[in-house]
Every structure is written in structure tokens, then in C-alpha cells.
């Protein structure tokens, strides 16, 4: 096999939707004419309503980013003590617990979905446990029914970190229908984005009302401050981008489906490399295209592939390595013991997020796959 040529320009793991600037500018006209830039403006309200319709829930609250949204979710549900969560996630997930003075308790994950394994949750419940914070990793749904059954049995709250799962549906139901509260991230690297942004979706309208107070300093009216809140508000500039991107995200998703099909075809025969398939009743978020590289069968480790692909101007990401339980700030926790998390450990050593965005052509994908095959055998 000849050495493939490197790409002329870097190919990153993602490339955000950039809608026609004129569409964005048109929405900004109203901001300039009214001089209303933030604090529950008309574009903020319009985006909240549009998302409520899209997600089929009335209880959407927009945020400045997904991390602040999750911090506020813990406050709104008045969590205390310990929260059972996954070590296989982005740092934001355990960090929001730390910022709420809650102790993360790490549970191992399922070998196939890489989401928190419900069978590992119950043994970790203590009298101090107040909630389960589960992550729909890569947009793949958690085992929502077993998780909610455990929560009901033990009187726990359930928060879902759905940062990757904007478009995910289970049997036609949007993912945010599950749990007490769900967080979505609208960061630029997400399928649907507002540059920076996020949202909480609450099952209970009273929780939404509390979330809305908490994200605006707790201000009820000119003279009443109901609780110690924070500033988590989304600006009109970000909301405008969201309204425009909502028109374009389906087009992006369609192209991502094509890119995923090209990868599936070109990587099907590569030994030691596999991709977790979404269950047939799942409408996939198409947020990431992640493969697992089993060194024993592939002949190369995930880290070697990740490193050598850079020679071809291809920049993959090890989402999520290292495990959160291995960070200096959490490794002292009893639940962070390496021996207790063997499945998560293996996932963290094997996963590789490949470049995945709608602008990739079929030829680009073929070249990326050719470079992967080359790196594996040379
Ligand atoms: N929970 C989970 C499970 C999450 O994955 C995240 C965030 C959160 C919670 C927190 O949500 P937010 O508070 O962020 O709303 C990125 C994102 O910053 C982060 O939002 C995301 N997850 C995480 C998985 O990915 P990095 O540090 O990997 O991003 P960065 O800057 O290296 O970007 C990756 C690639 O994307 C770049 O190589 C090039 C491309 N890119 C990036 C940006 C920002 C662009 O082409 N344009 C851009 O504007 O964290």
C-alpha cells in the first residue's frame, strides 16, 4: 500500500455549522434597533419557544452554556451528599458536582453503549446518595427505564447530561422526556449550536420556574430576591444564532448520515476496529463518529493511530480519555479505584472520535479511511 498523501489543510474532529451571514444579520437588525442585547429578550423567548416545540416539552430554559445549566440543575433539585455518575465523560460532568459541594460516586459503564451501567448503580447507593447524574455519551441513550426504576425505588433524582444528544429520540420520543432534568449543550462543536449555550429541560413546571429564577440571580421582582442565584442567561446574539441554526441543522444532520454511511462502508473490513451501532428504535444524534480500536486485533493501539494520523493532517480526538476518575481532583475517591471500573477503563483506552461533519465529502472520508488503514499496517 502506497503512503497516502496528507490533506492540504487540517481536518479537525468537527466543523460547526456556519449559516449564511445575511440570515444572522437580518435577525440582529432588531437587536440593534431596540438596543435589547440580553435579559430575556424577544429572540431568547423565540428560541425557547421554538425549542419547546421541537423537543415537544413546554419546560425549556436557555443558558449561557451547558456546564452552568448543569450546576443550576443540581441547585434546583437541592441535591445533597453523593451523586452517582459515570467516569466516562467530559470533565464538566463531575465538575458540576464539585461546584455544588457534592461528591461524585463513579459507577462502571456498559460495554456496548459506554453509558453508566444500571447494574453497577444500586451497590453504590448509600444513605447520603441524592441523585444519579447519567450521560447519554455520544448521544446514545442511557438505559433510561432501569435507571428510573432504581431512582424510584430509592427516592433519588435523575439528571441526564444530554450534551451530545440534541437530536436523539427513543421510539420517536425526544431524549429530554426522561429524568427530572435534562441538560443540552449548544456549544459550537455540537450538531445544533449557539456558539456557546445550553438548556435545561425540566419535567416539572415548578422546577422550570425555579431554574429560571436561579439563572437570573434569584431575582423575582424589583424588590424580591427569592434565592441565591447566578448569571446563566443566554444573550440575544447567541439566541439569534440558534434561531438561524435551527433552520439549518437538519441539512447538516442529513449530510452527517451520509458521512457515517461512508465510514461504515470503508471501515467495515478493518480488523480490530468497530463502531457501536445505535439500537433500531433510536433516532441517532449523529454528534460524533466514534470507533473502538482493539490493539490485540488491530496491531496498533488507539494512541498510535491518533498520533500518526496527524502526519496526514487528520486530527482525531480521544473522547473520553483519561477517565474522570483518574483526574488528580477525583482519584482519591473510593469509587475512583481503578479496579472497580474495568469496562470504562477499556473504553477510555480504545475510543477514537474521527472527523465528522457534513462538509466532509465522500472522497475525504475515503482518504481518512485509507490513512487509518495505512497507519494500522505500517
Ligand atoms: N457534558 C458533556 C458530556 C460534554 O461533552 C460537554 C461538552 C459538557 C457537558 C459541557 O457543555 P458546555 O459547557 O461546553 O456547553 C469541546 C467542547 O468545548 C465541549 O462543549 C464538548 N463537550 C467537548 C466534547 O468538546 P474540546 O476542548 O475538545 O474543544 P476544542 O476547542 O478542542 O474543539 C474541538 C475541535 O472542534 C477543534 O479541534 C476544531 C473544532 N472547532 C472548535 C471550535 C470551538 C471548530 O472548528 N470551531 C470552533 O469554534 O471541548
Amino acid at each position: 500500500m502506497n503512503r497516502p498523501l496528507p490533506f492540504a489543510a487540517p481536518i479537525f474532529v468537527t466543523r460547526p455549522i456556519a449559516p449564511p451571514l445575511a440570515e444572522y444579520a437580518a435577525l440582529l437588525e432588531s437587536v440593534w434597533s431596540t438596543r435589547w442585547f440580553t435579559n430575556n429578550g424577544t429572540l431568547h423567548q423565540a428560541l425557547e419557544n421554538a425549542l419547546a416545540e421541537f423537543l415537544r416539552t413546554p419546560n425549556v430554559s436557555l443558558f449561557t452554556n451547558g456546564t452552568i445549566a448543569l450546576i443550576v440543575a443540581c441547585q434546583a433539585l437541592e441535591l445533597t451528599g453523593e451523586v452517582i455518575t459515570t467516569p466516562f465523560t467530559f470533565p464538566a460532568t463531575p465538575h458540576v458536582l464539585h461546584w455544588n459541594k457534592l461528591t461524585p460516586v463513579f459507577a462502571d459503564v456498559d460495554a456496548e453503549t459506554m453509558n453508566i451501567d444500571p447494574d453497577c448503580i444500586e451497590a453504590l447507593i448509600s444513605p447520603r446518595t441524592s441523585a444519579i447524574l447519567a450521560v447519554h455519551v455520544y448521544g446514545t441513550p442511557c438505559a433510561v427505564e432501569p435507571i428510573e426504576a432504581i431512582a424510584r425505588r430509592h427516592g433519588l433524582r435523575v439528571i441526564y447530561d444530554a450534551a451530545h444528544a440534541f437530536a436523539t429520540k427513543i421510539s420517536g420520543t425526544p431524549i429530554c422526556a426522561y429524568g427530572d432534568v435534562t441538560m443540552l449543550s449548544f456549544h459550537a462543536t455540537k450538531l445544533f449550536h449557539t456558539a456557546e449555550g445550553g438548556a435545561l429541560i425540566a419535567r416539572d413546571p415548578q422546577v422550570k420556574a425555579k431554574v429560571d429564577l436561579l439563572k437570573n440571580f434569584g431575582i423575582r421582582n424589583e424588590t424580591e430576591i427569592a434565592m441565591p442565584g447566578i448569571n446563566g442567561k443566554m444573550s440575544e446574539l447567541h439566541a439569534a444564532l440558534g434561531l438561524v441554526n435551527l433552520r439549518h441543522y437538519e441539512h447538516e444532520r442529513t449530510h452527517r448520515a451520509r458521512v457515517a454511511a461512508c465510514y461504515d462502508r470503508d471501515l467495515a473490513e478493518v480488523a480490530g476496529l468497530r463502531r457501536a451501532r445505535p439500537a433500531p428504535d433510536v433516532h441517532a444524534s449523529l454528534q460524533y463518529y466514534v470507533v473502538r480500536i482493539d490493539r490485540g486485533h488491530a496491531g496498533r493501539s488507539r494512541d498510535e493511530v491518533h498520533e500518526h494520523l496527524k502526519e496526514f493532517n487528520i486530527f482525531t480526538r480521544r473522547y473520553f480519555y483519561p477517565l474522570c476518575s483518574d483526574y488528580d481532583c477525583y482519584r482519591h475517591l473510593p469509587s475512583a479505584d481503578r479496579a472497580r471500573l474495568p469496562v470504562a477503563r477499556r473504553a477510555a483506552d480504545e475510543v477514537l472520535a474521527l472527523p465528522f461533519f457534513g462538509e466532509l465529502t465522500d472522497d475525504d472520508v475515503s482518504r481518512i479511511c485509507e490513512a487509518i488503514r495505512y497507519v494500522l499496517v505500517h
Side-chain angles (χ1 to χ4, degrees):
M1 180 182 190
N2 290 334
R3 186 180 171 86
L5 288 174
F7 281 88
I11 303 286
F12 294 116
V13 71
T14 192
R15 197 165 155 80
I17 309 181
L21 207 47
E23 284 187 42
Y24 184 52
L27 277 183
L28 294 188
E29 297 279 351
S30 71
V31 178
W32 258 247
S33 63
T34 60
R35 306 279 171 100
W36 195 273
F37 281 89
T38 185
N39 289 9
N40 202 24
T42 50
L43 298 178
H44 179 286
Q45 288 168 28
L47 181 59
E48 233 173 52
N49 292 339
L51 288 173
E53 193 175 322
F54 177 82
L55 298 166
R56 304 211 302 267
T57 165
N59 301 324
V60 179
S61 303
L62 295 178
F63 273 85
T64 187
N65 61 57
T67 305
I68 296 284
L70 263 188
I71 288 176
V72 166
C74 298
Q75 291 278 319
L77 297 178
E78 297 177 22
L79 303 188
T80 56
E82 297 173 355
V83 174
I84 298 174
T85 191
T86 170
F88 187 69
T89 182
F90 193 63
T93 316
H95 288 352
V96 303
L97 300 176
H98 182 86
W99 276 68
N100 278 285
K101 299 204 178 336
L102 299 163
T103 305
V105 176
F106 296 111
D108 208 354
V109 303
D110 176 83
E112 203 48 38
T113 64
M114 295 177 268
N115 288 329
I116 195 166
D117 183 347
D119 290 341
C120 297
I121 293 177
E122 224 150 359
L124 296 170
I125 296 174
S126 82
R128 298 190 66 225
T129 310
S130 61
I132 300 165
L133 170 53
V135 182
H136 302 297
V137 176
Y138 314 137
T140 307
C142 290
V144 287
E145 304 292 352
I147 288 174
E148 295 195 13
I150 294 169
R152 266 196 308 276
R153 262 200 307 281
H154 296 271
L156 305 178
R157 299 293 211 153
V158 178
I159 300 180
Y160 284 111
D161 174 339
H164 310 164
F166 177 72
T168 303
K169 293 181 194 157
I170 307 175
S171 302
T173 302
I175 196 74
C176 54
Y178 300 90
D180 292 291
V181 177
T182 293
M183 176 278 268
L184 296 171
S185 166
F186 303 148
H187 183 262
T189 52
K190 302 301 184 295
L191 171 65
F192 165 77
H193 78 88
T194 60
E196 286 279 359
L200 287 184
I201 291 88
R203 178 151 43 200
D204 177 350
Q206 287 183 344
V207 174
K208 149 116 174 121
K210 195 164 172 191
V211 162
D212 287 342
L213 279 172
L214 281 166
K215 76 171 199 190
N216 187 27
F217 313 101
I219 297 175
R220 200 188 298 281
N221 56 44
E222 264 186 69
T223 54
E224 264 183 288
I225 307 301
M227 56 193 74
I230 196 167
N231 182 356
K233 292 169 279 115
M234 179 183 278
S235 82
E236 290 292 272
L237 307 189
H238 294 85
L241 187 54
L243 284 165
V244 178
N245 278 344
L246 210 46
R247 299 177 200 148
H248 293 275
Y249 108 91
E250 194 59 64
H251 177 80
E252 168 68 13
R253 194 178 171 282
T254 304
H255 277 282
R256 287 187 184 201
R258 170 188 53 76
V259 172
C262 290
Y263 273 127
D264 286 349
R265 184 198 58 215
D266 285 9
L267 296 175
E269 305 299 324
V270 180
L273 205 140
R274 72 185 170 96
R275 178 193 179 212
R277 306 258 156 212
D281 60 342
V282 170
H283 180 264
S285 72
L286 300 180
Q287 171 60 47
Y288 296 108
Y289 188 97
V290 177
V291 291
R292 294 186 66 158
I293 300 174
D294 173 356
R295 184 187 193 150
H297 289 99
R300 286 267 186 194
S301 70
R302 181 277 315 274
D303 288 346
E304 287 173 300
V305 176
H306 168 68
E307 205 46 45
H308 286 292
L309 283 175
K310 293 177 188 168
E311 295 162 16
F312 300 90
N313 235 349
I314 300 167
F315 296 89
T316 57
R317 293 305 282 264
R318 290 170 290 183
Y319 293 138
F320 292 101
Y321 171 87
L323 288 181
C324 299
S325 47
D326 285 342
Y327 301 167
D328 284 347
C329 48
Y330 302 125
R331 67 170 77 218
H332 65 281
L333 297 169
S335 66
D337 181 349
R338 296 168 70 89
R340 291 173 174 228
L341 304 166
V343 186
R345 184 157 308 286
R346 179 153 187 207
D349 286 343
E350 291 186 350
V351 287
L352 194 63
L354 303 183
F356 191 50
F357 46 91
E359 278 177 32
L360 283 174
T361 65
D362 294 8
D363 185 52
D364 292 333
V365 178
S366 296
R367 289 180 62 193
I368 294 167
C369 295
E370 202 186 330
I372 292 171
R373 284 195 296 270
Y374 181 86
V375 163
L376 286 173
V377 295
H378 285 82

